[in-house]
């Protein structure tokens, strides 16, 4: 599962290794006009300016390749502000992520969480990847890691309130099964990074550790997602709609273990694809909601796992 902790620590370590010599060099040989302290401050200021410039240029380049508008950053994962095909502007907004991104830990196999109070916050991003607001949830509407890997939070704000305050529209969940060969983007609000590739195919069963997911999407190799991209919306580039939620990848060739999912076909044959990543489809979600974005697992056509 694409968790962010290791990647974040590695990034921090790399940043530390790169910054220390640059800051220390001027202090070791100060000019008569500057003390070691002022030299260090000047060097740090220069580094900070360079980093800010680089970040701005990176955001601009990423925005040119796609949009972050409507995506969110959670404390440990990515996510997206989503609406159902029949959602009203006055409905409380929903946030989509993975079941394994819950703050309370991974749901057990067979466990389904519904209607749990929550005060979780998410950072809402604009098209360039800048955080424009911190939104708060009041309920974990649904979460599971059984058959799929999904979580849905209800926010304290409506779609209209978010649009009026920040100019951001929610992404719409598609309600039909996607097809192989579709051009897609995996948009990570956590890392502010966009991956572009195609749907390579569908997996009968995807097994990772104790969890098994059904009819998962397999990406082509260009979507080399990393820790922290879990929960990212998978967007059909032709329609702009969300068709899946990014959740895992086989990191080092392991067989059916955590961070090394394996594919199991209809005959029980196991295939391991090192370096290949996956997502869970979301077309089933709209049938399980009714007026006012209310969850109804007994609704006709709803196939999401039940408690």
């Amino acid at each position: 599962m694409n968790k962010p902790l290791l990647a974040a620590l590695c990034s921090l370590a790399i940043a530390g290794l790169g910054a220390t010599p640059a800051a220390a060099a001027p202090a070791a040989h100060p000019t008569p006009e500057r003390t070691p302290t002022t030299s260090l401050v000047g060097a740090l200021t220069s580094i900070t300016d360079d980093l800010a410039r680089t970040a701005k240029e990176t955001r601009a380049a990423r925005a040119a390749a796609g949009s972050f508008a409507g995506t969110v950053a959670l404390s440990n994962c990515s996510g997206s502000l989503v609406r159902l095909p029949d959602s009203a502007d006055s409905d409380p907004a929903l946030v989509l992520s993975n079941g394994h991104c819950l703050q309370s830990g991974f749901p057990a196999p067979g466990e389904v969480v519904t209607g749990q109070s929550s005060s979780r916050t998410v950072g809402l991003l604009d098209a360039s990847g800048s955080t424009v607001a911190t939104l708060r949830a009041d309920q974990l509407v649904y979460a599971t890691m059984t058959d799929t890997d999904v979580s849905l939070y209800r926010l304290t704000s409506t779609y209209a309130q978010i649009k009026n305050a920040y100019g951001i529209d929610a992404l719409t969940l598609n309600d039909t099964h996607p097809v192989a060969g579709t051009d897609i983007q995996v948009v990570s609000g956590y890392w502010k990074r966009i991956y572009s590739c195609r749907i390579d195919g569908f997996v009968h069963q995807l097994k990772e550790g104790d969890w098994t997911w059904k009819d998962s999407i397999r990406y082509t190799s260009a979507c080399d997602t990393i820790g922290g991209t879990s929960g990212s919306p998978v967007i059909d580039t032709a329609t702009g709609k969300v068709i899946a939620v990014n959740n895992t990848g086989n990191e080092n060739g392991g067989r059916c273990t955590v961070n090394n999912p394996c594919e199991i076909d209809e005959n029980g044959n196991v295939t391991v694809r090192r370096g290949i990543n996956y997502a869970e489809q979301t077309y089933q979600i709209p049938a399980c909601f009714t007026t006012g974005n209310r969850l109804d697992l007994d609704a006709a056509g709803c196939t999401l796992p039940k408690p």
Side-chain angles (χ1 to χ4, degrees):
M1 282 159 273
N2 289 320
K3 298 293 285 182
L5 181 58
L6 180 59
L9 289 175
C10 289
S11 297
L12 184 60
I14 292 170
L17 289 172
T20 300
H29 302 91
T31 64
E33 291 80 15
R34 295 187 295 174
T35 65
T37 300
T38 56
S39 296
L40 181 59
V41 170
L44 289 173
T45 300
S46 176
I47 291 169
T48 300
D49 291 344
D50 288 344
L51 289 173
R53 250 191 325 271
T54 300
K56 184 176 180 180
E57 291 168 357
T58 301
R59 284 197 300 270
R62 289 170 179 167
S67 175
F68 293 95
T71 62
V72 303
L74 284 71
S75 58
N76 62 344
C77 284
S78 299
S80 56
L81 181 71
V82 296
R83 64 187 301 149
L84 312 170
D86 296 328
S87 291
D89 291 344
S90 57
D91 290 340
L94 299 174
V95 164
L96 170 71
S97 190
N98 284 144
H100 78 257
C101 291
L102 300 185
Q103 292 169 304
S104 57
F106 296 177
E111 182 181 4
V112 176
V113 180
T114 62
Q116 187 178 93
S117 62
S118 175
S119 59
R120 190 163 198 181
T121 58
V122 301
L124 178 66
L125 306 186
D126 64 10
S128 70
S130 297
T131 302
V132 295
T134 298
L135 305 175
R136 183 175 297 276
D138 62 6
Q139 185 181 99
L140 173 59
V141 178
Y142 183 87
T144 192
M145 289 178 64
T146 299
D147 294 350
T148 186
D149 184 8
V150 65
S151 61
L152 286 157
Y153 290 89
R154 184 183 70 193
L155 300 181
T156 57
S157 305
T158 66
Y159 297 115
Q161 288 171 331
I162 294 170
K163 173 68 173 179
N164 291 337
Y166 312 110
I168 303 295
D169 288 310
L171 302 172
T172 299
L173 290 176
N174 196 18
D175 57 2
T176 58
H177 194 292
V179 298
T182 298
D183 289 321
I184 57 175
Q185 288 189 329
V186 182
V187 187
S188 171
Y190 186 93
W191 287 119
K192 299 179 176 60
R193 180 173 176 181
I194 298 173
Y195 301 81
S196 298
C197 63
R198 291 177 291 107
I199 295 178
D200 185 52
F202 302 94
V203 182
H204 177 63
Q205 290 185 341
L206 188 67
K207 180 173 175 58
E208 180 171 343
D210 296 330
W211 296 273
T212 300
W213 304 305
K214 298 178 179 178
D215 198 20
S216 303
I217 287 176
R218 179 177 60 243
Y219 306 142
T220 54
S221 60
C223 282
D224 52 347
T225 52
I226 60 174
T229 62
S230 285
S232 299
V234 179
I235 298 173
D236 181 335
T237 58
T239 66
K241 293 182 179 181
V242 176
I243 59 173
V245 57
N246 179 68
N247 78 312
T248 194
N250 187 291
E251 295 184 0
N252 53 36
R255 181 183 171 99
C256 312
T257 59
V258 174
N259 297 323
N260 289 287
C262 63
E263 301 181 13
I264 304 175
D265 68 16
E266 292 86 344
N267 298 316
N269 299 312
V270 176
T271 301
V272 172
R273 301 178 191 269
R274 181 174 182 174
I276 294 300
N277 297 284
Y278 303 89
E280 303 310 313
Q281 298 187 57
T282 52
Y283 74 92
Q284 317 96 317
I285 292 174
C288 300
F289 281 79
T290 185
T291 305
N293 277 359
R294 294 194 301 272
L295 179 69
D296 182 2
L297 295 177
D298 295 321
C302 178
T303 61
L304 287 177
K306 299 173 176 57

